[in-house]
Amino acid sequence: MYGEGADGPESGEPLIQQDFTEPEVVKKKKVRSKNKCKRVGKLKAGEKLPIVFFLNGPVGVNRNEFTRYLGKLVTDNTICPVRVHSWGEMGNDVEDHLWAAVKEKFTNPEMEAYRGHIFKKMVKAWTNYRSDLNLKYVKPCQSVEDAIENVPCGIQKDDWEWLVTEHYLIEEFKKISVRNANNRAQGSMPCHLGSMSIGELTFQMTDKEGNMPSFIKVFSCSRKKGGAIDPKSARKEAELIETMQQNPGINGLDLVEKCFGPQKHGGILGYGSGITPKDLRTPRNEKNPEVEAQLQRSEEEKAALEEKNASLEAEKAVIAAKKEALFHRLNNMESNYMVELRSLREMVMLQQTTWSSLHRPHDNHNQYI
């Protein structure tokens, strides 16, 4: 290989000497791929997937397909218009279209009863979608012009320009965005369930007899990461256990409010987005058996008291009548007595007069003897 006089390498040395370092492997962040809903898309005409609801939310084997399909519907700009500031501006026609699309692919015996809860999930998915557009296509841009040119796939350029200039960059939206960011930053006990919902976790922990796990157990499982719970969540778990021991009959909502403060109408901590304080309180139009029994007893006692009062009033009236009759009788007796007394008096006086008249001559005769 080397000719005469050529300097070749010594035995055992590499042909080319150079510093060799392994290339650094940069791990690409795993991101969620585009929502294609392949399983739903492969359904034949008239074929539907059964969906189970638990705690007012979808659970079971078809939960992911159902949730993804809702997200696909609300991000379809041919169904949901872009030029709106809030979901309330959608209109009834859009909601009817969405509802028909949901019922076309999924079925449940009580589907209509869960319409409000399903739309609540759709509104949340739509809100998250709009937030992601702002985060990915507006905030990274250096100027308004750059943001307008950074058009996402699936949105018309004129619609995107309206969304940037008339929605994302107005002062009202910026204030709401800052406020929401601050609220999220205050969440010191995050849930570590990933894509699993609280309802799904509770559903899986419920036994065959239908006995649901305690709130404390669900809270503990949802706050674990790598098999361990963070210190602050552990302290809160201890507080929950102590509160439960001090108040054995306390219900879930009261327990949460004692340990975490008042719960707003949008949801309850540890119950997921499907349950609100209204759901755990007895509605006004729904009868509580214990309350109804107590009311029944009160009504019966009230009726008995009214009957007793009526009887007493009747007796009182009889006594008053007897008293009146006796009073009149006494008056009559007194009058008759006075008449008889006067008559007796007159009789006595008459007798005295007669007696005097009879004995007076005799006395005169004796006087002259």
Side-chain angles (χ1 to χ4, degrees):
M1 180 176 178
Y2 293 96
E4 294 182 1
D7 296 328
E10 296 181 359
S11 176
E13 293 183 356
L15 299 179
I16 302 176
Q17 295 186 2
Q18 60 180 2
D19 295 333
F20 178 78
T21 56
E22 293 184 1
E24 183 179 353
V25 178
V26 179
K27 292 183 179 181
K28 187 177 181 180
K29 184 179 179 181
K30 185 178 180 180
V31 295
R32 183 178 297 177
S33 60
K34 185 177 180 181
N35 184 7
K36 297 181 180 179
C37 292
K38 292 183 179 180
R39 188 180 173 195
V40 177
K42 292 180 180 179
L43 292 175
K44 299 178 181 179
E47 187 179 3
K48 300 180 181 181
L49 293 177
I51 184 66
V52 178
F53 290 95
F54 183 78
L55 296 180
N56 297 330
V59 295
V61 294
N62 294 324
R63 176 184 65 89
N64 288 336
E65 283 75 12
F66 184 80
T67 305
R68 290 169 184 169
Y69 186 65
L70 296 184
K72 185 175 178 62
L73 288 177
V74 297
T75 56
D76 187 346
N77 297 316
T78 62
I79 301 176
C80 299
V82 175
R83 301 190 185 193
V84 293
H85 293 285
S86 65
W87 182 269
E89 299 178 11
M90 290 290 185
N92 294 330
D93 294 340
V94 174
E95 291 191 356
D96 292 341
H97 188 171
L98 291 169
W99 186 239
V102 172
K103 293 195 298 182
E104 183 182 2
K105 301 297 182 181
F106 293 89
T107 179
N108 181 279
E110 300 179 353
M111 198 74 166
E112 291 294 335
Y114 292 102
R115 173 169 175 158
H117 298 288
I118 294 172
F119 268 101
K120 185 178 178 180
K121 292 189 70 67
M122 283 195 280
V123 173
K124 185 177 180 180
W126 179 80
T127 304
N128 292 340
Y129 163 67
R130 301 265 288 207
S131 298
D132 288 343
L133 291 178
N134 181 41
L135 182 64
K136 295 178 182 179
Y137 296 94
V138 177
K139 287 189 175 181
C141 298
Q142 300 296 324
S143 64
V144 178
E145 292 75 14
D146 292 341
I148 293 174
E149 293 298 324
N150 194 20
V151 183
C153 180
I155 300 181
Q156 298 294 328
K157 186 173 181 179
D158 54 346
D159 288 338
W160 176 248
E161 182 177 354
W162 181 93
L163 193 61
V164 172
T165 58
E166 301 296 330
H167 183 68
Y168 289 136
L169 298 182
I170 62 176
E171 291 299 323
E172 183 179 358
F173 178 83
K174 290 180 180 179
K175 290 179 181 179
I176 295 175
S177 181
V178 171
R179 183 190 65 194
N180 292 340
N182 293 334
N183 291 339
R184 288 191 298 270
Q186 294 176 2
S188 56
M189 292 181 292
C191 180
H192 298 294
L193 292 178
S195 61
M196 180 185 293
S197 64
I198 292 288
E200 178 67 25
L201 174 64
T202 308
F203 179 72
Q204 293 182 7
M205 296 174 67
T206 302
D207 60 24
K208 296 181 179 180
E209 287 73 23
N211 299 316
M212 295 173 56
S214 66
F215 168 79
I216 299 176
K217 190 172 183 179
V218 174
F219 174 81
S220 177
C221 291
S222 64
R223 264 62 189 176
K224 287 182 178 179
K225 186 175 183 180
I229 188 171
D230 63 273
K232 190 165 185 178
S233 297
R235 290 194 297 270
K236 187 59 69 173
E237 181 185 15
E239 181 182 349
L240 288 167
I241 294 174
E242 182 181 359
T243 304
M244 179 67 77
Q245 292 174 348
Q246 294 175 353
N247 305 273
I250 192 172
N251 61 31
L253 178 59
D254 292 339
L255 177 62
V256 174
E257 291 187 333
K258 275 184 175 293
C259 297
F260 297 96
Q263 301 297 294
K264 298 181 179 179
H265 65 278
I268 304 175
L269 188 145
Y271 281 86
S273 60
I275 298 297
T276 64
K278 183 180 178 181
D279 296 324
L280 297 187
R281 295 189 179 101
T282 303
R284 294 181 179 180
N285 59 350
E286 183 178 335
K287 296 181 179 180
N288 187 314
E290 295 182 0
V291 175
E292 285 298 310
Q294 186 175 358
L295 289 175
Q296 182 66 26
R297 289 194 297 270
S298 299
E299 289 294 332
E300 292 175 356
E301 292 175 0
K302 181 181 178 182
L305 288 174
E306 289 179 351
E307 184 178 356
K308 187 175 181 179
N309 288 336
S311 177
L312 291 175
E313 288 294 331
E315 291 181 5
K316 184 178 178 181
V318 172
I319 292 173
K322 289 182 178 181
K323 182 179 179 181
E324 186 70 19
L326 182 60
F327 180 74
H328 286 295
R329 184 179 175 184
L330 289 174
N331 284 340
N332 292 335
M333 290 177 63
E334 185 178 3
S335 299
N336 294 335
Y337 173 76
M338 294 302 295
V339 171
E340 292 179 0
L341 184 61
R342 284 196 298 269
S343 177
L344 183 60
R345 223 176 199 181
E346 291 175 357
M347 185 180 298
V348 171
M349 292 177 64
L350 180 61
Q351 287 178 354
Q352 289 178 352
T353 304
T354 305
W355 185 82
S356 300
S357 61
L358 290 176
H359 290 79
R360 189 174 299 138
H362 178 72
D363 294 338
N364 294 336
H365 177 73
N366 293 332
Q367 182 179 359
Y368 293 104
I369 292 175

